[in-house]
Amino acid sequence: MSYAVLHIMKASGSCNAIARHIERTTQPDNAHSELRHLNRDDFIKYPDGVDGLGEAIQHRLDNAGLTRKIGKNQVLALNVLMTSDGDALRRLADEGRLDEWAQASVGWAKQTFGEDNVVAAHLHMDEQTPHLHVTVVPIVTAERKKKASEAKAKKRYRTKSKDGPRLSANDIMTRDNLTRFQDTYAEAMEHFGLERGIRGSEARHVDQHEYYRQCQIRKKDLEQDVAGLSAEKKQLDTENRSLEKRKAELERGNRWIEKTIIESKAANKQLTEENAQLTKDKKLLVEYNSTLKETVVGMIEEYKGLETSKEKLSREVSALEASKMSVAYDSDYTEYKADIEKFFPDVPDLLNWARYCKHIGFPDSFTQQIVAQQPVQFRGKLYSPEHSQSYSTEHSEAKLERDPKEKHRFMLKIDGVSVFQWFRNKAKEFLAKLGIRLNEPKREPSLGR
């Protein structure tokens, strides 16, 4: 439950100070200028020709029918402050009842102090807690109570009318009246969910002057703190500049690192793709190798058996090759051959080598160059009749050279060695990959001439 707060203060002197605060002609330290547009002063309309709170107070004094002279130190106005805790007033604002609360508070003041005596009402929304200032001119009509010194005085003066209006804040702010004001204001605020404060509470309202005095004390303390903080700020500025420089260096380093990371990621991605392809190729090779395993085992056994009979087979192959080449000749071949050997002694051997070149896989154009004893650059596969297998080369040179030992005989050399030795070298390379070593043959096979 929230409390209905009512506080009455006497305005001293000409009321200029309280007027400046209430009308915001000066900016209080505890007010927020950006919220000033929410303040209101339209609950009570000033009389025609009256401008401002000071003039409204004076207008009431001038038209109240006072017969007594106003004393120099008399209280001209009361500042009636009405409010509650911030949560309660924000609740009323959210419910759209804040204006109704202010109107009810002004109505209570008019009923309590007299409608003519209530000269102004200002709602302040720019401070921490919204509150209402109602300005009351303390005009009373009750008989003035005599002071103790006046009762004992023997001298008598002509008295004025006892029922006339008088300016007396003391008659209003008696202990009984102040208690009654708290009771009746709480009753008026009850339907807004506000209740009377605790009777006899020691809580006291901090007035504006005390608040400003405390602010000045705090200001001096803060100025001392600011002076100390200023020196710390200079030190921190120096450190901050050093940190900024270090930060710039780190940012440059980070950019280099980020660039390196990006390049590394790209390289890693490429390596990952290549590794995946190699893994795939390896899998295919493993599968292919497994299919060749049995074949390789058989070939190893076969080559071991062939090793002992290779020389004999070489001679038989040469003889068979020569026999195959002679099958096609007709009965005139002998005479034709004799004429060739007589008039063109090189031709028989060249013809044999031409047929051999064609048989091992040389195209006709290459065979023509070879027979013409021109070097031929080639790559690809050649078939070895001796090994019954083709062998590959990426780059080799074939050339037919005259046999220095026999006048009309020739030797086909590939990469500087005889074609038969070249095939044996290829066979050795192939078997070496399979882990097999062969004994060298005792001599080269002949072309079967």
Side-chain angles (χ1 to χ4, degrees):
M1 191 71 174
S2 298
Y3 296 120
V5 177
L6 174 69
H7 185 68
I8 304 175
M9 298 167 286
K10 295 178 180 179
S12 60
S14 61
C15 301
N16 290 333
I18 191 66
R20 285 195 299 271
H21 174 78
I22 291 176
E23 294 184 314
R24 291 292 192 260
T25 54
T26 59
Q27 177 65 27
D29 293 340
N30 63 327
H32 303 282
S33 58
E34 67 274 10
L35 300 177
R36 183 182 294 182
H37 66 282
L38 299 175
N39 295 345
R40 291 180 56 187
D41 61 358
D42 57 348
F43 299 100
I44 296 177
K45 185 179 180 182
Y46 291 146
D48 294 338
V50 173
D51 184 17
L53 180 58
E55 291 186 12
I57 294 172
Q58 190 60 48
H59 182 273
R60 175 56 183 154
L61 293 172
D62 294 341
N63 294 277
L66 300 177
T67 58
R68 292 176 180 272
K69 182 180 179 180
I70 299 175
K72 184 178 180 180
N73 295 324
Q74 267 192 283
V75 175
L76 304 182
L78 300 175
N79 178 22
V80 183
L81 177 68
M82 303 169 182
T83 185
S84 182
D85 60 82
D87 291 339
L89 294 181
R90 281 188 287 272
R91 173 179 57 79
L92 292 175
D94 293 340
E95 294 174 357
R97 301 180 65 197
L98 189 61
D99 183 73
E100 180 186 352
W101 167 82
Q103 295 285 5
S105 296
V106 172
W108 173 85
K110 289 180 178 180
Q111 183 178 2
T112 302
F113 303 107
E115 184 173 354
D116 292 337
N117 292 334
V118 179
V119 298
H122 294 77
L123 176 63
H124 286 172
M125 300 292 292
D126 58 352
E127 296 184 38
Q128 182 174 358
T129 303
H131 55 274
L132 182 69
H133 288 281
V134 176
T135 304
V136 176
V137 178
I139 304 294
V140 298
T141 57
E143 181 180 356
R144 184 176 72 88
K145 293 182 180 180
K146 292 182 180 181
K147 297 179 181 179
S149 59
E150 292 177 343
K152 295 178 181 179
K154 295 180 180 179
K155 191 174 180 179
R156 295 288 183 268
Y157 296 92
R158 182 172 61 86
T159 61
K160 296 181 180 180
S161 174
K162 297 179 181 180
D163 297 331
R166 294 182 296 106
L167 180 66
S168 177
N170 290 334
D171 284 9
I172 293 177
M173 296 185 65
T174 64
R175 182 179 295 275
D176 292 339
N177 279 346
L178 292 177
T179 301
R180 180 171 58 84
F181 295 158
Q182 295 290 343
D183 293 338
T184 58
Y185 183 64
E187 291 174 1
M189 295 294 103
E190 186 176 355
H191 71 285
F192 293 105
L194 306 178
E195 64 180 1
R196 191 190 189 287
I198 300 172
R199 294 180 183 273
S201 171
E202 295 182 359
R204 295 292 180 266
H205 176 76
V206 178
D207 62 22
Q208 179 186 359
H209 300 291
E210 177 62 19
Y211 174 79
Y212 288 150
R213 189 183 71 81
Q214 294 176 3
C215 286
Q216 289 299 322
I217 294 173
R218 290 186 61 195
K219 180 181 178 183
K220 290 181 181 179
D221 294 338
L222 290 173
E223 286 174 349
Q224 293 178 356
D225 292 342
V226 167
L229 290 172
S230 207
E232 293 181 11
K233 181 178 180 295
K234 290 181 181 179
Q235 178 64 26
L236 289 174
D237 287 342
T238 303
E239 294 177 359
N240 186 58
R241 286 192 293 271
S242 176
L243 289 174
E244 288 292 338
K245 182 178 179 181
R246 178 58 179 160
K247 177 184 175 184
E249 294 174 354
L250 290 174
E251 287 177 348
R252 287 195 295 271
N254 286 340
R255 287 194 293 271
W256 179 84
I257 291 172
E258 289 173 358
K259 180 181 177 182
T260 304
I261 290 173
I262 291 172
E263 293 174 351
S264 298
K265 286 182 177 178
N268 185 59
K269 181 180 179 182
Q270 182 178 357
L271 289 173
T272 301
E273 293 174 354
E274 292 177 357
N275 184 61
Q277 183 61 41
L278 289 173
T279 302
K280 183 178 179 181
D281 294 344
K282 177 184 176 183
K283 182 179 179 181
L284 293 175
L285 288 173
V286 169
E287 293 175 355
Y288 180 69
N289 185 58
S290 64
T291 60
L292 290 177
K293 189 173 182 180
E294 294 181 0
T295 304
V296 170
V297 172
M299 289 177 66
I300 291 172
E301 294 297 328
E302 183 179 352
Y303 271 99
K304 286 181 179 179
L306 290 174
E307 189 174 292
T308 55
S309 59
K310 184 176 181 181
E311 184 176 353
K312 180 180 178 181
L313 288 174
S314 295
R315 290 194 297 269
E316 291 177 357
V317 166
S318 298
L320 287 172
E321 289 294 330
S323 176
K324 287 179 181 178
M325 288 187 289
S326 64
V327 169
Y329 290 104
D330 55 17
S331 58
D332 296 331
Y333 174 72
T334 304
E335 183 181 354
Y336 177 75
K337 182 178 179 183
D339 291 339
I340 290 175
E341 290 178 350
K342 179 178 180 181
F343 299 106
F344 305 99
D346 291 342
V347 170
D349 201 49
L350 290 175
L351 183 60
N352 287 336
W353 281 114
R355 290 174 175 172
Y356 183 78
C357 289
K358 184 176 181 180
H359 183 64
I360 64 176
F362 279 115
D364 291 346
S365 59
F366 282 10
T367 300
Q368 290 173 0
Q369 293 181 51
I370 291 171
V371 172
Q373 302 175 42
Q374 297 176 358
V376 173
Q377 307 289 332
F378 71 95
R379 66 176 182 177
K381 292 183 177 182
L382 291 180
Y383 175 74
S384 171
E386 180 182 355
H387 302 92
S388 300
Q389 187 170 340
S390 296
Y391 298 103
S392 298
T393 178
E394 288 296 323
H395 181 269
S396 292
E397 180 182 273
K399 186 178 180 182
L400 191 65
E401 298 180 355
R402 190 175 293 276
D403 191 342
K405 295 180 180 180
E406 297 185 44
K407 184 176 180 180
H408 299 296
R409 295 290 182 263
F410 296 88
M411 294 184 298
L412 178 60
K413 292 187 176 182
I414 298 179
D415 295 334
V417 299
S418 71
V419 64
F420 307 108
Q421 185 61 43
W422 187 82
F423 278 131
R424 292 192 193 101
N425 292 342
K426 287 293 182 179
K428 278 197 236 179
E429 291 174 5
F430 176 74
L431 293 175
K433 291 180 182 179
L434 301 176
I436 302 171
R437 295 186 61 183
L438 297 177
N439 296 327
E440 291 292 334
K442 293 181 180 180
R443 64 179 183 82
E444 293 187 354
S446 66
L447 198 59
R449 317 188 262 275

